[in-house]
Amino acid sequence: MKVMIQIPCLNEAATLPILWPHLPAVLPGVDIIETVVVDDGSRDGTADVARRLGATHIVRMTSRRGLAHAFKAGMETCLRHGADIIVNIDADNQYRGEDIAALIQPIVTGSADIVIGDRQVGSQRGFSRGKRLLQRFGSWVVRSLSGIDVPDAASGFRAYCRDAALKTHVFSSYTYTHETLIEAGRKNLTVASVPIRTNPPLRTSRLFKSTLVYVLRSAKTILQTYIVYTPLRVLALCSALAFLPGAALTGRFLYYYATSEGQTGYIQSLVVGIGLVMISVFVLLFGIIADLARVNRTLMEDMLYILRSTPAPPAAGVELGPVLLSQAARDDRGRPAIRGGRRAHVREV
């Protein structure tokens, strides 16, 4: 069994060496452990630090593209190199590498497809009361929309089996944590949680400038993801919200028209009511069209799953479009960087 540990990085030259010694060299039931450092356009030499530390693979972005894109690029690299289990851990040393063994255990035993590290937010002294409440509320929203009982939906410390990784698609450019859980719930993947430990923060978060910005952008991502996977349900609800008052207003006009003699008035109720009913019909039609698009996307995802399940590894040094695969990384003296008897590889995006 092969485990690949992917580490998204943005200017983590100072923190990556602190995390690195805690990454496991041996795991129960695992034959091969490799590391993938995803450098999201860092300007502090993070990729060079990763080479010196002995990263097996380095994916280097030429410009900053966001955490979600870095996560997706790391997953693709792990799948391309035959990973059976993919572990995602942040480079800021928030999570403890020693907990990787416990994190992957449900996957090794076959009891889960995805495992989320539970930071036990309620007992985190480093979190303010407001942040703890927001984390709990966000996890409750994700649980409600996905049908998955995950106490810490925002945790980035997680593990995927190969099959779950092949079925994972990230659309957001901001963060992947909530989106991938809603997707997993809709695809009937088994998700488990294990308690993990955390380290004191070494720096402030680079993902968001303020809690309000994080909440708003996360809410946008959650809503977009839910609409992508259940468009008919969402638009049917919106249609009902327009139809019910429209029908009530139209019924009001008809009631007074039938029970009154002569001119009844209430023509405004008729105009507004018919307008709302027409809007509800159009929204419902859009929902049906969107649902047909969802079916088409599901078929395309199934085809992509089949294609990704049997990848043909590219030859060393072969250039595929704008991406250079399997270019051997070298250390400061120009020698190949080797860890565990394997040459490090660099992929530039």
Side-chain angles (χ1 to χ4, degrees):
M1 180 175 288
K2 183 176 184 177
V3 171
M4 297 187 72
I5 304 171
Q6 69 171 37
I7 312 171
C9 298
L10 175 62
N11 297 323
E12 302 289 3
T15 58
L16 193 59
I18 300 174
L19 167 69
W20 204 266
H22 301 282
L23 298 179
V26 178
L27 289 169
V30 175
D31 303 308
I32 302 173
I33 301 174
E34 294 184 358
T35 52
V36 179
V37 173
V38 185
D39 181 7
D40 186 21
S42 299
R43 302 302 179 189
D44 64 347
T46 296
D48 296 329
V49 172
R51 286 194 192 92
R52 290 196 294 269
L53 292 171
T56 318
H57 309 275
I58 299 173
V59 181
R60 187 169 55 197
M61 312 289 182
T62 55
S63 60
R64 182 179 179 181
R65 302 190 185 182
L67 177 60
H69 189 93
F71 173 82
K72 181 169 64 174
M75 294 279 278
E76 292 173 351
T77 301
C78 293
L79 290 171
R80 184 179 295 113
H81 289 88
D84 297 301
I85 299 176
I86 301 172
V87 175
N88 185 85
I89 186 171
D90 294 347
D92 60 0
N93 199 44
Q94 176 185 1
Y95 308 111
R96 297 190 181 184
E98 295 87 351
D99 288 337
I100 290 178
L103 189 72
I104 69 170
Q105 190 59 30
I107 297 178
V108 174
T109 59
S111 59
D113 300 310
I114 302 172
V115 183
I116 310 298
D118 178 13
R119 294 171 293 178
Q120 305 168 80
V121 175
S123 61
Q124 288 288 340
R125 296 182 179 179
F127 287 6
S128 65
R129 183 181 180 185
K131 187 173 182 179
R132 290 198 297 268
L133 290 174
L134 286 174
Q135 291 282 4
R136 289 177 176 176
F137 177 72
S139 296
W140 175 81
V141 171
V142 173
R143 285 198 302 271
S144 302
L145 297 180
S146 65
I148 296 175
D149 187 13
V150 177
D152 189 5
S155 173
F157 192 26
R158 49 183 64 189
Y160 291 78
C161 71
R162 182 174 182 83
D163 188 68
L166 288 168
K167 295 178 180 178
T168 298
H169 304 279
V170 179
F171 303 104
S172 170
S173 59
Y174 182 58
T175 182
Y176 59 89
T177 53
H178 303 112
E179 175 184 348
T180 51
L181 285 177
I182 295 174
E183 179 185 25
R186 293 298 158 187
K187 294 183 177 179
N188 296 318
L189 296 174
T190 303
V191 181
S193 294
V194 297
I196 58 169
R197 299 163 295 173
T198 58
N199 295 312
L202 298 177
R203 57 165 177 77
T204 57
S205 174
R206 295 194 179 107
L207 181 61
F208 53 90
K209 296 180 180 179
S210 67
T211 301
L212 179 61
V213 172
Y214 175 75
V215 170
L216 293 177
R217 297 195 66 174
S218 296
K220 176 185 174 183
T221 299
I222 291 171
L223 180 60
Q224 286 179 335
T225 305
Y226 188 69
I227 294 175
V228 164
Y229 288 101
T230 58
L232 183 57
R233 177 181 297 180
V234 173
L235 292 178
L237 176 61
C238 295
S239 175
L241 292 177
F243 177 81
L244 292 176
L249 290 172
T250 303
R252 179 173 182 261
F253 170 81
L254 294 175
Y255 171 77
Y256 285 108
Y257 181 82
T259 59
S260 302
E261 296 180 0
Q263 189 173 3
T264 62
Y266 302 104
I267 190 68
Q268 298 90 343
S269 297
L270 178 63
V271 172
V272 175
I274 290 178
L276 289 173
V277 169
M278 291 180 63
I279 290 174
S280 71
V281 171
F282 283 124
V283 171
L284 184 60
L285 290 175
F286 287 142
I288 295 173
I289 295 172
D291 195 59
L292 293 175
R294 177 195 62 81
V295 172
N296 185 62
R297 191 197 69 250
T298 301
L299 294 174
M300 294 179 65
E301 287 183 356
D302 291 342
M303 295 173 61
L304 182 60
Y305 172 78
I306 295 173
L307 291 174
R308 295 171 77 186
S309 298
T310 55
V318 174
E319 186 173 349
L320 303 177
V323 180
L324 183 64
L325 301 175
S326 300
Q327 173 185 337
R330 296 183 177 274
D331 60 17
D332 295 337
R333 298 183 180 180
R335 298 173 301 185
I338 299 175
R339 179 175 185 246
R342 294 178 61 89
R343 291 172 181 264
H345 292 83
V346 174
R347 180 162 71 99
E348 293 186 351
V349 182

